[in-house]
Amino acid sequence: MTHLWHLLAESVHDGTVLHTPSRDCGPVTGPELLDRAERTAGALLVGAGPDSPDAADSGRPVRRAGLLMANGEPWVRGLLALLRLDAAAVPLALPVAFGGVEAYAEHIRRISEDASLDAILVDGSVGHRILNRIRLVVPGLRIIDIAEPPADHAELPPTGLGGDTPAVIQYTSGSTSAPKGVVLGHAAVSAGLDAIASGTEWSPEDHLGLWLPLFHDMGLFTLLNALRRGSRVHLWQPGDFVRRPLRWLAAFAEAGATAAPAPNFFYDHLTAAAAAEGLPDGLDLSRWRLAGNGSEPVQLRSLHAFQAAFGPAGLRPQVVQPQYGLAEATLIVSTGRPFAQYRSIDVDRLELTPGAHVTPLPADHPQARSVVSCGTPVDGVRVRIAHPDRPGQPLPAGTVGEVQISGPSVTSGYLGLAPEQQPFSPDGWLRTGDIGFQLDGELYVVGRIKAMAIVHGHNYYAEDVEDIVRNTPGVDRRHCAAFAWGSDGDERMVVLWETKLDPGQAAEVSQEIRTRLAGRLGLGSADVCPVAPSSIPFTSSGKVKRSAAALLYREPATTAASLANSSKGTTT
Amino acid sequence: MSITSSDLQARHDVRILGVVRTALAGHSGVPVEAIDPAKPLSAVPGIESVKALRAITEIEDECDVVIPDDFLFETATVAELAGFVADLVARSARA
């Protein structure tokens, strides 16, 4: 059976080098990394050590452990040590700047309970204050410092069977109130890594340059794929890129990296930085071969603007390729092939309802919506479209519906949920919750089910509504949120938009928004509410947090005054 | 530090509070007056992690200090951040 420890041990060699330029740790070769991981596994086996406050627990085997560290060698080594011991690794998101420590510790407590964690591995990169708070709210949890592996090897038990044994339990972001852990066994992860390699046409000479956090599925599995192919890796911190994007890009190019995955906002952020500061002297991007663009909706204009900004630095055309993936599929589902032309289609946005046939329209038509192709399904992953209300019955090509996937890289389900709560169709396909269609074998994703309101039998997407609202004059800094409200039979679209205007003027703008929604989307009834500037919550990448915005709406009086006084520090 | 505070020190602290408020306002897209020194950083209107990091980077560049990541997770107020930066500046001046 497939066991990731053995697969990785077979794959790495002296040319497999992990560089962590922003950490106090020199490059480590693959074989060294495995040796260090074995020594670390020995330490996890014997317990926390006599000097630790957790010493009373020593000897208790680690079965499921959280990884709570900044990107670095200890994170990767901790994961490998857990694999060596047949324990499941649970990547934990780091706290966000200005987020506050109490809410964060509470989040860790929820995951710790849901996953029945028996330890958290740390390396000093997360401050004592946070760890002390976690100790307080999760008293039984061992916190094990693995900053340095022990000098000696302990005797380790033989590895287990692998196969369907959980290797990684991935908590998807945005699920703070009710965290859901995606269970991925050794065999699923192995298949997922093969899917990444095949979709990206990965060669062992490729060199991964990664700043994404390892607790994120895109960061984690891209890194594991590189190790699985014996490739070289440069691993940075998210802050390295976010703080000084062009300096990071120069370091990426200097390192000779050939591949980097990122969400759409990465490309926009670099394009904006280049416009503001100019290209760094001597920047040479000619070795960059593949830049995946996934994990949030892909914008065609971002792809073109990025090429225009960095072409002069040697960036080859179509290095950036749209991708679709999710933790439930280990990672990748579909991707544009390296250097493939972008495909996008302008369709009638009123015909993007499940069951409808997509209708091409001229790009300048007021009802036209441009949708970028996320490429073809990768080897080993099957994709189909089905109506969300009849999930067992696939729909023909060109029909809109829920994206469903199946294959060896797909999760066995969410940890601890009853069968009826699991996201599977009656015939065993994973329901992604994303709405899209297939055309000429390519996958187009148009939105999320939850971001869709059914009003009088018609489906309306929050993305479409927001697009219209943010372009209405009077909407402060284009900030708005749309979401579905209510349930079967009594569902409506709610729009929050930010303004500094007085109530009379704001009412006029609200009326204009209603007129536009009716005229362009056919959405005749929407609850349009002006709110105070900066009250709508956004994620770190600038995506509106619709569920958090919906919580604001639930407040008794959704007025500018009440929202102005509400808390706004709820980033996750 | 309060024991040795002189007019000069006070002026220095006021300048740093100005840098901190300007950076936070600029990156969260609100006027400087909206940044209340007495309120926690998490209550800065519209702040989220990417904007917070960029604001911190600007403060570091302006004041020529490095703010440790640990401080970013403090439930500190705007004024406390400014005080922390002022301490860093004073320490690097002595070094």
Side-chain angles (χ1 to χ4, degrees):
Chain A
M1 282 220 277
T2 306
H3 196 291
L4 287 172
W5 171 265
H6 296 298
L7 274 184
L8 292 168
E10 287 162 19
S11 307
V12 300
H13 50 80
D14 287 339
T16 310
V17 182
L18 175 65
H19 301 261
T20 49
S22 47
R23 296 286 299 261
D24 295 333
C25 172
V28 178
T29 68
E32 277 174 328
L33 184 60
L34 287 167
D35 183 75
R36 292 166 68 90
E38 277 189 323
R39 286 186 270 142
T40 303
L44 299 184
L45 202 61
V46 298
D51 300 330
S52 159
D54 304 308
D57 295 317
S58 57
R60 194 149 54 84
V62 172
R63 303 309 311 157
R64 273 188 202 150
L67 296 167
L68 184 57
M69 295 171 265
N71 280 5
E73 184 267 348
W75 203 111
V76 184
R77 173 161 49 82
L79 170 69
L80 295 173
L82 293 171
L83 293 174
R84 175 63 187 81
L85 295 174
D86 297 292
V90 181
L92 296 172
L94 292 172
V96 298
F98 300 177
V101 71
E102 287 83 7
Y104 179 72
E106 183 57 22
H107 176 62
I108 296 295
R109 185 189 65 76
R110 288 202 187 100
I111 290 181
S112 173
E113 279 178 8
D114 191 69
S116 310
L117 292 186
D118 41 34
I120 286 185
L121 309 188
V122 300
D123 67 348
S125 58
V126 172
H128 289 292
R129 200 169 303 103
I130 289 168
L131 296 184
N132 286 338
R133 184 74 200 181
I134 292 173
R135 279 197 181 92
L136 207 64
V137 298
V138 204
L141 194 63
R142 290 164 65 192
I143 295 183
I144 305 175
D145 192 327
I146 62 158
E148 283 300 325
D152 298 319
H153 284 267
E155 192 175 332
L156 297 177
T159 52
L161 293 173
D164 293 335
T165 309
V168 174
I169 300 171
Q170 184 74 24
Y171 280 84
T172 52
S173 57
S175 53
T176 43
S177 58
K180 270 197 258 180
V182 176
V183 179
L184 296 167
H186 285 252
V189 172
S190 170
L193 301 184
D194 289 348
I196 295 170
S198 136
T200 58
E201 296 173 15
W202 193 274
S203 106
E205 288 71 45
D206 271 316
H207 178 166
L208 177 66
L210 188 71
W211 62 268
L212 289 172
L214 291 176
F215 59 73
H216 189 281
D217 51 355
M218 203 176 188
L220 169 58
F221 296 115
T222 311
L223 176 103
L224 283 181
N225 173 59
L227 296 181
R228 174 74 177 92
R229 311 300 148 202
S231 300
R232 189 177 285 266
V233 176
H234 264 79
L235 179 63
W236 284 274
Q237 312 294 318
D240 295 335
F241 163 70
V242 171
R243 287 175 172 223
R244 293 181 171 85
L246 291 176
R247 193 187 290 180
W248 174 84
L249 186 65
F252 170 86
E254 184 81 4
T258 64
N264 196 74
F265 91 88
F266 163 84
Y267 301 99
D268 289 343
H269 192 29
L270 279 172
T271 303
E277 302 167 38
L279 295 181
D281 288 341
L283 181 68
D284 176 8
L285 297 175
S286 62
R287 284 184 286 189
W288 199 353
R289 182 185 77 78
L290 183 75
N293 181 339
S295 102
E296 58 181 12
V298 177
Q299 306 288 336
L300 198 59
R301 65 170 180 275
S302 299
L303 301 178
H304 290 317
F306 187 73
Q307 182 59 43
F310 292 98
L315 182 74
R316 289 176 277 173
Q318 285 107 38
V319 160
V320 186
Q321 285 294 331
Q323 300 179 324
Y324 172 68
L326 60 169
E328 287 83 345
T330 298
L331 180 64
I332 199 165
V333 169
S334 75
T335 178
R337 302 294 143 157
F339 299 116
Q341 286 289 342
Y342 303 137
R343 306 243 301 201
S344 80
I345 175 171
D346 297 295
V347 296
D348 187 341
R349 62 172 81 225
L350 300 185
E351 294 296 334
L352 289 177
T353 303
H357 289 274
V358 292
T359 315
L361 280 181
D364 57 355
H365 192 284
Q367 277 168 224
R369 170 167 170 195
S370 175
V371 187
V372 181
S373 162
C374 289
T376 49
V378 294
D379 288 349
V381 181
R382 293 192 296 157
V383 175
R384 75 179 189 187
I385 303 294
H387 197 291
D389 299 338
R390 293 177 294 281
Q393 297 170 25
L395 293 166
T399 312
V400 178
E402 182 179 18
V403 180
Q404 299 188 349
I405 58 173
S406 127
S409 62
V410 174
T411 177
S412 55
Y414 298 118
L415 187 70
L417 287 195
E420 66 275 13
Q421 295 173 297
Q422 295 288 356
F424 295 106
S425 72
D427 52 344
W429 288 60
L430 181 108
R431 305 181 56 181
T432 65
D434 288 316
I435 297 289
F437 57 90
Q438 284 184 293
L439 214 54
D440 300 328
E442 302 202 17
L443 177 63
Y444 296 78
V445 179
V446 299
R448 292 280 302 166
I449 287 179
K450 284 174 216 148
M452 188 182 78
I454 306 173
V455 181
H456 304 313
H458 287 277
N459 293 22
Y460 299 95
Y461 292 101
E463 280 106 320
D464 286 346
V465 172
E466 285 162 3
D467 195 38
I468 288 167
V469 175
R470 85 170 64 92
N471 289 306
T472 305
V475 175
D476 195 36
R477 291 183 295 142
R478 299 160 55 88
H479 277 191
C480 62
F483 46 86
W485 189 259
S487 55
D488 292 348
D490 181 31
E491 204 169 45
R492 62 182 182 270
M493 186 66 85
V494 175
V495 173
L496 304 183
W497 62 280
E498 292 187 356
T499 181
K500 297 178 194 133
L501 299 173
D502 66 50
Q505 291 170 306
E508 284 178 30
V509 177
S510 285
Q511 189 48 47
E512 172 62 23
I513 289 171
R514 282 189 207 96
T515 305
R516 289 179 177 218
L517 292 176
R520 300 192 192 172
L521 285 183
L523 177 60
S525 62
D527 198 351
V528 180
C529 308
V531 299
S534 303
S535 45
I536 297 174
F538 287 84
T539 68
S540 54
S541 57
K543 281 189 284 187
V544 64
K545 294 166 89 174
R546 295 200 182 90
S547 48
L551 288 179
L552 289 183
Y553 180 71
R554 199 189 288 166
E555 301 292 318
T558 306
T559 64
S562 69
L563 288 180
N565 295 325
S566 67
S567 165
K568 298 151 200 110
T570 51
T571 50
T572 50
Chain B
M1 199 173 64
S2 57
I3 302 164
T4 62
S5 71
S6 61
D7 280 355
L8 213 61
Q9 182 64 48
R11 242 177 282 157
H12 166 77
D13 289 355
V14 167
R15 184 187 79 82
I16 287 177
L17 180 61
V19 169
V20 166
R21 290 178 74 200
T22 305
L24 292 171
H27 289 274
S28 56
V30 298
V32 173
E33 306 80 67
I35 309 292
D36 184 344
K39 289 224 171 120
L41 291 163
S42 60
V44 170
I47 202 78
E48 33 79 343
S49 58
V50 167
K51 289 174 186 170
L53 274 181
R54 290 187 205 160
I56 287 292
T57 306
E58 184 181 319
I59 295 165
E60 289 181 337
D61 288 351
E62 285 283 323
C63 301
D64 198 22
V65 293
V66 175
I67 301 168
D69 282 353
D70 204 24
F71 190 84
L72 305 183
F73 311 126
E74 280 272 17
T75 318
T77 63
V78 174
E80 283 164 354
L81 171 61
F84 185 78
V85 173
D87 277 354
L88 289 176
V89 172
R91 232 176 289 157
S92 67
R94 277 200 301 273

